[in-house]
Amino acid sequence: MAIKVHSPGLSTTVQDLGRPGYYHIGIPLSGAMDREALRSANLLVGNDENAAGLEVVFMGPELEFTAPATVAVTGGEIPPKLNGEPRDTWTSFVVKAGDVLSFDFLKAGARAYIAVSGGIDVPVVLGSRSTYTLGALGGHQGRKLAAGDELPVGSASKSGAAGRKLPVLLRRMPGSPATLRMLPGLYWHRITEEAGKHFLADTWKVAPEADRIGYRFRGGQKLAFVDRKPPFGAGSDPSNIVDACYPYGSIQVPGGTEPIVLHRDAVSGGGYFMVGTVISADMDLIGQLQPHMPAKFVAVDMTAALKARKDQDALAASVRAALA
Amino acid sequence: MKTRYSFGGDEHIFVECDEEMSLQAFFKGLSITNGVRDSRIKGVTEICPANASFQIKFNPDEIAPDDLLAELKRIEETASKSVASLKTRIIEIPVLYNDPWTHETLMRFRERHQDPSSTDIEYAARINDLGTVDNFIKAHSGAPWFVSMVGFVAGLPFLYQMAERAKQIEVPKYLRPRTDTPKLTVGHGGCFGCIYSVRGAGGYQMFGVTPMPIYDPTQTISYLKDFMVLFRPGDIVKWKPIDREEYDQTVAAVEAGKFQPRIRDVSFALDEFEKDIDGYNRKLQEALYGH
């Protein structure tokens, strides 16, 4: 069984839940930006949650199946069509050999996830099938899909039935403006109290430079820095630090102008100060933001961050129960 | 040197050993991260050492953040008594300075540079009071460099010049980062040198290029078959200036699977190094080139 890529879409990559364990040498987690959406897609077609699927950004691909399978599309609303006929998102459907899956224009969100029963069976590299394009690692030949590619599909252990649907209440998408909860810290002390207030009060907009490495935001006021003598090795700009590790979700603000939230393909370190870190429970939401969408950063403490994490786990458990 | 702890969201603890860069700060981080590794703390998933700081990734479902913080502070106390030394390797890296590829790239991004009228290496030579590019190359390739961090992108080494602070090369980063850097560019920003393991964005000044790959996701290059990343923190690098002919020969040798990098096992002790930097560096070079 294989999938033939007729057209690749804008930037379609093979992703599972990622490749932990190599961040210390600069190889990031990778994996689905909206992890819960990929999990749901996999469960809908009877796969393990961690099976590899396709992450589609803004514009869908056109794919032909060489054998029967069960398919589901979740995440951002990029409506699927089978041989030109509309199919529901968040709902499993059956495909036959020769069927062609294509997509309508993006209606909401930013990234859709395609799961196929059996999972995309590209080689496992360092424990994962996820694509890390910057390092040309994993996925299909370490890159986004191109026309003419053929993707191997694994054999399904149990076949998911068609017509299974995830209830609307169990689908999490960002609001408008998107609320991104963050724990202030790291180098928060580098900006003035006034700048900290602006950072949290301003409404930011997603900039066009938003990808798997990081999401850039603009439109807020420039942050003012506390005066200092540059520490040796940091560089002269007030936003420079001695190159350090970057947490996933950390918010760096080069030059104090445009915050960048690092995501699944994060650069693992560098020389820009960070004001804090988006909490783990809100990372999925960032993957569903389109350029120009408004967003606000909301400061929370560790207790609230852990509570949000529990809520996110409870959502995942409800999805499992609904699709068991 | 005061250690500063901060949570990076609910999954990371960020620990700054010192605000400024020094080998003492690096070794403090190394001894604490070694302590964390040896303690096998439940819930710790990744240990990432950096130049003068480090980061621990953890699963808060398995260990409460404050419990991990207390554990790290306990380890810091023990680790501060340990000796700053390690068994490591010295690796020779050939460099074609002033190569055509970084030259083409730096000309394309001239408007993002502090000094659009000169090249990166001319600019670095001038602001470090080295006069000529030749003098700059001598200074850059004279003393060895210490790998104080691996990261940014896959396998990229951050390199700290093993020279007294007054002689260390310092340059600012580009005013605005470039969107392109040739693969295997030898760069410099702040006090750190680096080798760009892959092609991509970058803000460091560009001085040259090495023919020797340091990252190979396909694991076909002879010396990267066992693991795709060459460098680890604590490695020592010695630059070897080469000409275009040797560059081309080395590229061909790598492609033919015949290139073997010059690598020797050495040990490094920080107190002895600081007592006599030039003498210590000479000994390291003897280990690299002697029999």
Side-chain angles (χ1 to χ4, degrees), chain A residues 146-207:
Chain A
D149 285 346
E150 262 198 56
L151 300 173
V153 174
S155 48
S157 49
K158 48 174 180 167
S159 67
R164 282 148 55 87
K165 193 175 192 78
L166 187 71
V168 176
L169 280 174
L170 298 180
R171 309 170 190 174
R172 188 169 175 232
M173 293 292 279
S176 183
T179 305
L180 303 176
R181 288 168 290 185
M182 55 87 73
L183 190 70
L186 303 172
Y187 290 85
W188 175 266
H189 58 275
R190 288 289 305 117
I191 55 172
T192 62
E193 206 183 320
E194 198 58 23
K197 280 182 194 154
H198 289 314
F199 177 77
L200 295 168
D202 287 349
T203 299
W204 298 86
K205 277 201 164 121
V206 177

Side-chain angles (χ1 to χ4, degrees), chain A residues 31-293:
Chain A
M33 285 187 73
D34 184 348
R35 292 163 63 93
E36 194 50 40
L38 175 66
R39 281 203 187 96
S40 302
N42 274 325
L43 291 172
L44 279 165
V45 301
N47 287 347
D48 286 343
E49 291 179 15
N50 187 33
L54 297 176
E55 180 178 88
V56 169
V57 190
F58 305 147
M59 200 178 95
E62 189 177 295
L63 308 170
E64 182 188 330
F65 299 88
T66 66
T70 309
V71 173
V73 178
T74 63
E77 195 62 22
I78 308 179
K81 293 184 288 185
L82 195 65
N83 305 321
E85 293 293 313
R87 289 287 181 276
D88 287 341
T89 52
W90 302 92
T91 307
S92 59
F93 54 90
V94 163
V95 300
K96 306 185 305 294
D99 280 357
V100 173
L101 179 68
S102 61
F103 290 84
D104 232 319
F105 293 112
L106 172 71
K107 291 214 171 85
R111 285 177 175 76
Y113 293 86
I114 307 172
V116 182
S117 51
I120 307 294
D121 195 20
V122 293
V124 173
V125 181
L126 300 178
S128 166
R129 294 187 170 87
S130 287
T131 315
Y132 168 45
T133 47
L134 196 56
L137 185 75
H140 181 70
Q141 300 175 8
R143 57 165 171 79
K144 64 184 188 182
L145 300 187
D149 285 346
E150 262 198 56
L151 300 173
V153 174
S155 48
S157 49
K158 48 174 180 167
S159 67
R164 282 148 55 87
K165 193 175 192 78
L166 187 71
V168 176
L169 280 174
L170 298 180
R171 309 170 190 174
R172 188 169 175 232
M173 293 292 279
S176 183
T179 305
L180 303 176
R181 288 168 290 185
M182 55 87 73
L183 190 70
L186 303 172
Y187 290 85
W188 175 266
H189 58 275
R190 288 289 305 117
I191 55 172
T192 62
E193 206 183 320
E194 198 58 23
K197 280 182 194 154
H198 289 314
F199 177 77
L200 295 168
D202 287 349
T203 299
W204 298 86
K205 277 201 164 121
V206 177
E209 301 90 350
D211 58 21
R212 295 185 44 83
I213 299 170
Y215 257 60
R216 189 184 280 260
F217 295 84
R218 58 172 59 145
Q221 291 171 74
K222 186 175 173 175
L223 304 181
F225 289 90
V226 174
D227 278 341
R228 67 152 187 202
K229 178 177 170 285
F232 178 77
S236 49
D237 192 274
S239 67
N240 287 154
I241 57 169
V242 169
D243 294 57
C245 296
Y246 289 153
Y248 295 107
S250 61
I251 309 164
Q252 58 179 270
V253 196
T257 55
E258 297 182 346
I260 300 168
V261 181
L262 292 180
H263 218 274
R264 310 284 184 214
D265 284 1
V267 288
S268 69
Y272 291 111
F273 95 112
M274 302 155 270
V275 292
T277 309
V278 173
I279 65 173
S280 63
D282 286 353
M283 289 292 283
D284 280 2
L285 297 178
I286 294 174
Q288 295 299 352
L289 298 180
Q290 293 171 22
H292 311 301
M293 274 183 153

Side-chain angles (χ1 to χ4, degrees), chain B:
Chain B
M1 218 192 298
K2 176 136 175 52
T3 313
R4 190 173 65 82
Y5 292 85
S6 180
F7 287 111
D10 48 323
E11 293 186 337
H12 313 82
I13 293 188
F14 179 91
V15 185
E16 187 186 70
C17 299
D18 196 358
E19 239 193 336
E20 64 172 32
M21 179 56 194
S22 67
L23 284 177
Q24 285 91 336
F26 168 81
F27 273 97
K28 183 169 149 189
L30 188 71
S31 62
I32 303 174
T33 49
N34 284 341
V36 175
R37 193 171 295 110
D38 295 345
S39 304
R40 300 176 173 276
I41 303 165
K42 190 172 180 262
V44 166
T45 57
E46 294 203 51
I47 301 168
C48 302
N51 297 306
S53 58
F54 63 91
Q55 178 176 296
I56 307 288
K57 188 162 192 275
F58 65 97
N59 180 350
D61 304 333
E62 291 186 34
I63 186 166
D66 283 333
D67 291 349
L68 179 55
L69 184 63
E71 191 71 8
L72 289 181
K73 287 181 172 168
R74 191 188 59 74
I75 292 168
E76 184 199 345
E77 238 165 73
T78 324
S80 62
K81 293 171 192 112
S82 71
V83 181
S85 67
L86 53 87
K87 287 202 184 321
T88 183
R89 315 177 287 177
I90 183 164
I91 304 171
E92 181 190 73
I93 304 283
V95 191
L96 176 62
Y97 290 93
N98 256 329
D99 66 288
W101 305 282
T102 59
H103 188 267
E104 184 276 326
T105 307
L106 67 89
M107 292 312 286
R108 256 195 295 145
F109 292 99
R110 221 61 214 135
E111 89 289 358
R112 301 184 184 206
H113 195 273
Q114 290 81 359
D115 182 0
S117 64
S118 62
T119 65
D120 292 9
I121 199 167
E122 286 165 359
Y123 169 72
R126 194 179 72 242
I127 67 165
N128 284 280
D129 297 323
L130 289 161
T132 65
V133 167
D134 278 350
N135 286 346
F136 179 85
I137 293 171
K138 275 196 196 101
H140 189 264
S141 59
W145 298 64
F146 192 91
V147 177
S148 49
M149 175 171 175
V150 177
F152 179 59
V153 292
L156 177 149
F158 286 83
L159 298 153
Y160 186 70
Q161 195 175 12
M162 294 168 68
E164 54 188 282
R165 193 172 276 190
K167 287 189 190 160
Q168 283 185 319
I169 294 164
E170 270 197 282
V171 289
K173 291 155 195 165
Y174 269 49
L175 296 175
R176 285 184 296 129
R178 298 175 304 272
T179 53
D180 193 17
T181 310
K183 188 172 145 183
L184 296 175
T185 289
V186 173
H188 202 101
C191 70
F192 294 106
C194 83
I195 305 169
Y196 283 89
S197 50
V198 295
R199 184 178 175 180
Y204 276 24
Q205 308 279 339
M206 300 183 290
F207 299 152
V209 69
T210 173
M212 184 182 147
I214 58 168
Y215 167 70
D216 176 21
T218 63
Q219 288 180 272
T220 48
I221 291 170
S222 59
Y223 56 93
L224 296 171
K225 278 201 169 107
D226 289 339
F227 195 61
M228 58 182 74
V229 166
L230 176 66
F231 286 109
R232 30 187 203 250
D235 280 338
I236 294 170
V237 164
K238 179 73 178 70
W239 306 115
K240 177 195 176 197
I242 57 170
D243 58 18
R244 178 63 192 264
E245 194 184 349
E246 188 172 351
Y247 176 88
D248 290 339
Q249 285 166 357
T250 309
V251 168
V254 169
E255 275 168 17
K258 288 178 183 155
F259 179 77
Q260 269 308 321
R262 179 178 280 268
I263 301 177
R264 297 289 181 271
D265 290 332
V266 290
S267 47
F268 178 82
L270 183 57
D271 55 346
E272 283 174 43
F273 168 76
E274 287 185 328
K275 261 182 245 161
D276 175 15
I277 292 178
D278 291 343
Y280 202 90
N281 286 344
R282 266 196 305 278
K283 267 191 238 160
L284 286 172
Q285 290 207 44
E286 280 162 22
L288 181 61
Y289 297 112
H291 298 287

